[in-house]
Amino acid sequence: MAAQRIGIVGAGPAGLAALKAITDTPQYKAGLWIPTAFEARENVGGVWLPSPPPPSEPGNSPPATPLYDSLTTNLPHPVMAFTSLPFPASTPLFPKAGVVQTYLESYASSFGLHKHILLNTRVVSADWDPDQNKWAVETTNVNQRTKWAFDLLLVCNGHHNMPRYATIPGLDTWFASGRASHSMFYRNPSSIPLPSSNANPKLELKDLTILVIGGGPSGSDITTELVPLAGRVIHSFSANSAVARAAASSSASTPPPDVETLPDPVPSKEAAGAIPKPRAYFEDGSEEQNIHYCILATGYEVDFPFFASSPPTSTSKDASGPSPNFSIARSLIPYLPPLTTRLPQTDLINTSYGVFPLARHLFGIPSFGFSFSPSSEPNSSNDDAASSLRLPPPTSLAFLGLLVRVAPLPLVEVQARAALAAFANLPVPHRLPLEETKIINRFQELKEKYDALNDPDSSLVDTPDTSAPTSTPISTEKIREFISKEWHRFSEEARQFDYRDELDDLAFSLLSNSSSGPFEHLSQPNPSTLPRTRVRPWEKYFYAEKLPLRKAWRELEARGLADEWVRRVGSGELPADEEPRKTKEERVEAEWVALMERVLEFGKSL
């Protein structure tokens, strides 16, 4: 059979994982799969590749990455690393961003991935060509445009590219006057412009009051960095934010004495000195005066500028040109009333928080923007079936890395393997099991979570969502917003590990039963030799302990002991424990596990 081409949008962690998974397959080794990854920037690494920001002035495009100078990982690297390559020996347990970037470059070099990557090459459009049964992709490099055709398209462009701005009355005025910026523009305290006035032309940072909005990792880190330097730092965040959850899980019964306490939320100890507020402007009814500058650490929007929108927009396709064969609607997840048994027919949706509906948070579902077999849709008309033939097969497109609050690198590894297995072994649309029941059940689960967090008698919203593809009751809009935001977040963080094992089972099952597929002529390995990436028990344990681990590690760094503790750990050459290790890989793993256990034990003494 003719070779098939696989296109990959992005060469960050997800794109590199996809390339590695492809090069491990018998199809690639037989010359039947030809991968090409497109990276818009000058090197691999994605969000971890630093970029100087443009001035945070009105109208400026956001920088290529939100990476700030003081950023370290918020997971211990043995938990966040690719399963196929650990971090080097002696790497600090929570490394700086530059160390992660070097690790990703090493990953690409170690597995010979660079030859499949086109740098400084941006994907500007992607559409399904029903006449060729391929994805038609157009890229640009400098001033040169190139057209490509792919049988499989893997979307790995990350979700830290488009800043999300809070809807706060009067905020536009702050941006226009240069008194506010998104955290994507922040690199260090010097990123904050110093105002001047006739009364005091030489104001310094120590004279300023800074408002930081957002309780995620960026908001917390920026607050912590500014507290010792600024005159006052006000940190505004919601009760469901990461910093509030961290405070709630802390063993401390009272906040630091130098922090103004409020009923909700409670500040973390690391931001001692900041004044916590429950969202701007503010939900507890208080007001703050004389704020000099505002930093919005309010997250990012999921964005696919290379796909057409529904209806076409100037950012995707020229509205005067031909209609696209594949498009993604911009809307929230549609409301599903109780007792719903079938999903309402809809195109694929970009909610700005993720993509809906997808099977396994990964690839398409027949009839939802993708082709279907008439036998799987008995109520479809002949016209519907004919139109379906002009849509892409559901396993010809996969979105890697949409899930958040997870250990991302090992997760995208197994997502890539599952997407490739489905593409190779589920070529007929009706052979992909419909997952409507799972999606409906998840909607109702999140609806129950929303109800538990809100007073059922309270007013939900006062304006409708005009972007919805169909008329929707006003009272459901906040529910849809909440569910859209939570869709790619597991309600319990440990659920990510079950998800990884389920995808591993899916890939194993498909690969073990591929004798009737399009690659049946290939010599298939014995099932016992097929790659498996089962979650190791210690990954679950130390992920759950990430906050006390990070706190203890920072204390070791403050005491100047961290380098000594980590020296030679991960070399595989330290004295063996009572249980002999047969391979160097096993010894390396055991050394990192032993270090994390030691750091946790140290933390208990603080």
Side-chain angles (χ1 to χ4, degrees):
M1 64 178 294
Q4 293 180 308
R5 292 188 174 273
I6 302 175
I8 303 171
V9 184
L16 294 177
L19 266 180
K20 169 67 165 55
I22 293 168
T23 59
D24 285 342
T25 63
Q27 290 90 340
Y28 171 83
K29 294 171 183 177
L32 297 176
W33 278 357
I34 302 174
T36 304
F38 303 106
E39 172 52 52
R41 302 182 63 196
E42 69 277 8
N43 200 356
V44 302
V47 69
W48 298 98
L49 179 64
S51 169
S56 55
E57 297 174 356
N60 276 357
S61 299
T65 174
L67 207 65
Y68 45 94
D69 298 348
S70 63
L71 179 68
T72 64
T73 66
N74 56 9
L75 292 176
H77 67 72
V79 173
M80 71 167 284
F82 290 120
T83 61
S84 50
L85 184 71
F87 274 71
S90 305
T91 298
L93 202 54
F94 292 86
K96 293 183 178 180
V99 175
V100 180
Q101 172 61 22
T102 300
Y103 167 78
L104 294 172
E105 293 173 8
S106 175
Y107 184 88
S109 299
S110 298
F111 299 113
L113 306 181
H114 284 289
K115 61 187 176 184
H116 301 297
I117 302 171
L118 295 179
L119 299 175
N120 298 305
T121 303
R122 182 180 300 277
V123 175
V124 293
S125 68
D127 193 14
W128 180 251
D129 183 345
D131 298 321
Q132 300 295 324
N133 285 322
K134 295 181 187 294
W135 287 98
V137 173
E138 186 171 359
T139 62
T140 180
N141 181 309
V142 190
N143 294 319
Q144 179 178 353
R145 286 185 172 248
T146 306
K147 294 183 178 181
W148 307 76
F150 294 109
D151 300 275
L152 170 64
L153 189 63
L154 301 176
V155 180
C156 306
N157 65 324
H159 44 71
H160 293 89
N161 306 310
M162 179 68 65
R164 181 184 300 279
Y165 290 99
T167 303
I168 301 174
L171 188 59
D172 289 345
T173 302
W174 282 58
F175 278 112
S177 62
R179 295 176 61 199
S181 64
H182 193 275
S183 61
M184 196 167 187
F185 291 87
Y186 181 89
R187 292 297 179 267
N188 52 57
S190 67
S191 301
I192 298 175
L194 299 178
S196 62
S197 66
N198 294 333
N200 194 343
K202 296 183 178 180
L203 285 174
E204 299 179 7
L205 187 57
K206 65 181 178 63
D207 303 313
L208 306 186
T209 295
I210 308 296
L211 170 63
V212 181
I213 299 177
S218 297
S220 300
D221 286 350
I222 292 171
T223 298
T224 300
E225 187 168 49
L226 291 177
V227 161
L229 302 174
R232 295 171 72 235
V233 179
I234 301 168
H235 192 189
S236 172
F237 53 91
S238 72
N240 193 41
S241 65
V243 67
R245 294 193 310 274
S249 64
S250 171
S251 59
S253 59
T254 58
D258 55 346
V259 177
E260 176 184 333
T261 59
L262 294 169
D264 175 27
V266 177
S268 67
K269 279 192 172 183
E270 291 176 354
I275 301 172
K277 292 287 183 179
R279 303 191 186 197
Y281 44 90
F282 297 98
E283 288 183 352
D284 63 347
S286 64
E287 295 182 1
E288 288 291 338
Q289 303 291 332
N290 300 318
I291 293 175
H292 296 91
Y293 199 80
C294 176
I295 299 174
L296 284 88
T298 45
Y300 304 89
E301 295 188 12
V302 171
D303 187 43
F304 310 106
F306 38 86
F307 286 131
S309 298
S310 300
T313 68
S314 60
T315 59
S316 54
K317 290 273 188 175
D318 186 347
S320 63
S323 298
N325 296 299
F326 178 83
S327 61
I328 301 182
R330 289 299 298 261
S331 174
L332 298 175
I333 290 176
Y335 182 77
L336 305 181
L339 306 180
T340 296
T341 58
R342 294 297 302 271
L343 290 175
Q345 289 297 308
T346 178
D347 290 336
L348 205 61
I349 292 172
N350 174 9
T351 67
S352 85
Y353 298 102
V355 180
F356 177 91
L358 293 178
R360 315 291 175 96
H361 300 275
L362 185 56
F363 35 67
I365 296 178
S367 78
F368 293 91
F370 296 90
S371 59
F372 62 87
S373 167
S375 63
S376 68
E377 295 289 341
N379 296 324
S380 62
S381 66
N382 291 334
D383 289 342
D384 291 336
S387 298
S388 167
L389 296 177
R390 299 191 65 80
L391 297 174
T395 56
S396 70
L397 177 68
F399 294 84
L400 276 64
L402 290 175
L403 287 160
V404 296
R405 294 182 186 168
V406 295
L409 274 60
L411 186 138
V412 293
E413 272 186 314
V414 71
Q415 281 187 328
R417 287 181 51 242
L420 294 172
F423 168 69
N425 296 286
L426 292 173
V428 183
H430 72 266
R431 290 187 61 193
L432 178 67
L434 285 174
E435 298 210 345
E436 288 187 65
T437 300
K438 291 182 180 179
I439 290 174
I440 292 168
N441 290 343
R442 175 154 178 78
F443 184 98
Q444 298 305 333
E445 170 195 329
L446 291 173
K447 169 63 166 57
E448 292 174 3
K449 180 179 179 181
Y450 176 88
D451 290 341
L453 292 171
N454 294 272
D455 179 0
D457 296 325
S458 64
S459 175
L460 293 176
V461 76
D462 56 7
T463 55
D465 175 18
T466 56
S467 67
T470 59
S471 178
T472 306
I474 291 177
S475 61
T476 65
E477 297 310 314
K478 276 198 172 180
I479 299 174
R480 296 175 62 218
E481 177 82 24
F482 174 83
I483 290 176
S484 297
K485 185 175 182 179
E486 295 290 317
W487 192 258
H488 293 304
R489 298 177 180 177
F490 292 120
S491 298
E492 298 178 358
E493 289 183 333
R495 177 69 182 84
Q496 65 177 293
F497 302 109
D498 296 333
Y499 170 82
R500 280 168 51 184
D501 281 346
E502 289 166 4
L503 283 189
D504 184 65
D505 289 338
L506 173 65
F508 180 79
S509 174
L510 292 171
L511 294 172
S512 299
N513 299 282
S514 58
S515 59
S516 61
F519 300 100
E520 57 185 293
H521 61 287
L522 290 179
S523 176
Q524 297 293 332
N526 185 295
S528 64
T529 65
L530 288 172
R532 302 301 301 265
T533 54
R534 309 303 288 179
V535 173
R536 297 155 291 188
W538 60 263
E539 293 181 79
K540 300 180 183 180
Y541 175 71
F542 290 114
Y543 186 94
E545 297 292 331
K546 58 186 179 295
L547 295 178
L549 263 175
R550 196 177 190 214
K551 175 184 175 184
W553 186 254
R554 284 182 168 179
E555 182 62 26
L556 287 170
E557 289 178 323
R559 297 185 185 187
L561 299 174
D563 289 345
E564 177 186 341
W565 277 49
V566 79
R567 186 173 296 119
R568 295 182 60 207
V569 174
S571 66
E573 300 170 355
L574 296 179
D577 55 18
E578 293 81 3
E579 181 183 351
R581 307 286 168 175
K582 296 181 180 180
T583 67
K584 181 176 181 180
E585 288 76 14
E586 291 174 327
R587 295 195 302 272
V588 167
E589 179 181 314
E591 289 173 8
W592 287 119
V593 170
L595 174 66
M596 289 188 287
E597 290 174 339
R598 186 185 176 197
V599 172
L600 267 183
E601 191 64 29
F602 166 75
K604 294 177 183 178
S605 67
L606 299 178

